[in-house]
Amino acid sequence: MDAPIIELTDVKKSFGPVSVLKGVSLKVYPGKITALVGDNGAGKSTLIKGLAGVQPYDEGEVKFQGVPVALHNPREAAHLGIEVVYQDLALCDNLDIVQNMFLGREDIELGTFDEGKMERAASETLQSLSVRTVKSVRQKVSSLSGGQRQTVAIARSVLKSAKVVILDEPTAALGVAQTEQVLALVKRLAERGVGVLMISHNLVDVFQVADYINVLYLGQMVASVETSRTTSDDVVGYITGSKTYIEVSA
C-alpha cells in the first residue's frame, strides 16, 4: 500500500467546554477514496475544517506526504494542494463556468483578464475528467442542474492542481441520474492519483465508490476499515454506537 498523503494522529478540537474531536486519527491515500461517515454532531465538519485550515486543531499531529505540517489558515492548506468542495459549492449563479472556476485567481494579460487562456484551461480540465454533461463553459451557473454544479465545483479544485480533494456531501439533494454522474466523476478524480476524502450520509453511495470507510461517533473514530471487509449493517452499528468496534485494517 502507498504511504498516506494525509495522516492525522490524535487530533483534538474544543469550543469552550465542549470537546468536539477527542483524539481522532485518520489516513487518506493518494488515488483512493476514503469515506468519512457519522451521525449529525459526530464531528465530521469540524474534522474537515481543521484540514482546510478554517478551524485549526487544538492538539495532535497532521502529516502531509509524511511531513508534519501546521494548517493555520485556508491559504496554507491550498498551498499544499488540499481543496474542499463544500456542500453549498460556493458558486456564483450570475457568472459562467469559466468565471467561477477562475474566481479570485484570474489569468491577467496586459492588465486585463486573459479570457481565451482561461476558457481553454476550463475546457481542458472538464475534458480531462470526461465531463460531457456541460454544453458550453460559457453557460451561466444559474442554468445548470445540481449535478452539473457539483461537477463545476469539483473541476475547479482540479484546476488548482489539488493533491487532496475533500467532498462534503457531494450527492446531497441530487436525483438518481445526477448522483451516478457525480460518483463517476469522483472515481475519475481518484484515478488521476488524487486523494479523495468524501463525507456522506448515503451509505449506498459510500459502498459504491469508497475504498475505505471511517466512522466518527461523538468525536471519536470508532472504525477505520476497508470497504470490502465490512457491511452496511456493520457501519450502521458503528454510526449509532450499537456495535463494538473490531479493527479490520490498519
Side-chain angles (χ1 to χ4, degrees):
M1 183 184 294
D2 290 335
I5 189 168
I6 284 180
E7 184 173 3
L8 305 181
T9 304
D10 200 29
V11 297
K12 299 178 181 179
K13 181 68 178 179
S14 297
F15 297 95
V18 180
S19 180
V20 180
L21 299 178
K22 306 171 184 177
V24 173
S25 296
L26 171 72
K27 294 178 181 179
V28 178
Y29 294 91
K32 301 293 184 181
I33 300 170
T34 301
L36 179 64
V37 301
D39 210 347
N40 291 334
K44 302 186 301 298
S45 295
T46 302
L47 187 69
I48 66 170
K49 286 178 180 177
L51 273 175
V54 176
Q55 293 174 342
Y57 303 124
D58 298 330
E59 298 180 39
E61 184 179 58
V62 181
K63 287 184 178 180
F64 188 84
Q65 294 181 323
V67 179
V69 296
L71 301 174
H72 297 111
N73 55 63
R75 187 179 297 276
E76 290 180 351
H79 180 73
L80 292 174
I82 301 172
E83 296 290 340
V84 184
V85 180
Y86 292 103
Q87 191 170 346
D88 64 6
L89 304 182
L91 298 176
C92 298
D93 283 354
N94 61 319
L95 301 180
D96 62 31
I97 292 174
V98 175
Q99 291 166 330
N100 268 281
M101 289 178 67
F102 280 89
L103 190 61
R105 54 197 176 89
E106 293 83 0
D107 285 324
I108 306 295
E109 180 68 26
L110 299 177
T112 188
F113 292 161
D114 192 337
E115 295 286 351
K117 183 178 179 180
M118 291 189 292
E119 185 171 323
R120 287 192 298 273
S123 297
E124 289 169 1
T125 300
L126 290 169
Q127 289 173 5
S128 72
L129 292 170
S130 301
V131 175
R132 300 183 178 86
T133 58
V134 176
K135 294 180 181 179
S136 168
V137 292
R138 286 302 180 183
Q139 281 181 266
K140 289 285 182 68
V141 164
S142 58
S143 70
L144 301 180
S145 68
Q148 290 171 324
R149 288 169 184 247
Q150 187 67 248
T151 295
V152 171
I154 293 173
R156 180 177 57 190
S157 68
V158 173
L159 189 66
K160 298 179 182 179
S161 300
K163 295 177 181 177
V164 175
V165 174
I166 302 171
L167 303 172
D168 185 12
E169 299 286 354
T171 60
L174 297 184
V176 175
Q178 293 179 345
T179 294
E180 290 300 313
Q181 292 171 0
V182 171
L183 291 180
L185 179 57
V186 172
K187 288 181 181 178
R188 290 196 290 273
L189 200 58
E191 289 169 359
R192 292 167 59 101
V194 175
V196 179
L197 178 60
M198 185 175 83
I199 293 83
S200 180
H201 281 96
N202 192 320
L203 292 185
V204 174
D205 293 351
V206 167
F207 274 86
Q208 184 173 338
V209 301
D211 298 290
Y212 305 99
I213 300 176
N214 293 264
V215 185
L216 271 176
Y217 177 72
L218 298 180
Q220 295 180 308
M221 193 68 77
V222 296
S224 182
V225 298
E226 291 183 47
T227 306
S228 60
R229 297 185 180 183
T230 191
T231 67
S232 181
D233 287 344
D234 284 342
V235 173
V236 170
Y238 297 136
I239 290 172
T240 59
S242 64
K243 187 175 179 64
T244 303
Y245 170 53
I246 300 174
E247 188 172 358
V248 177
S249 66

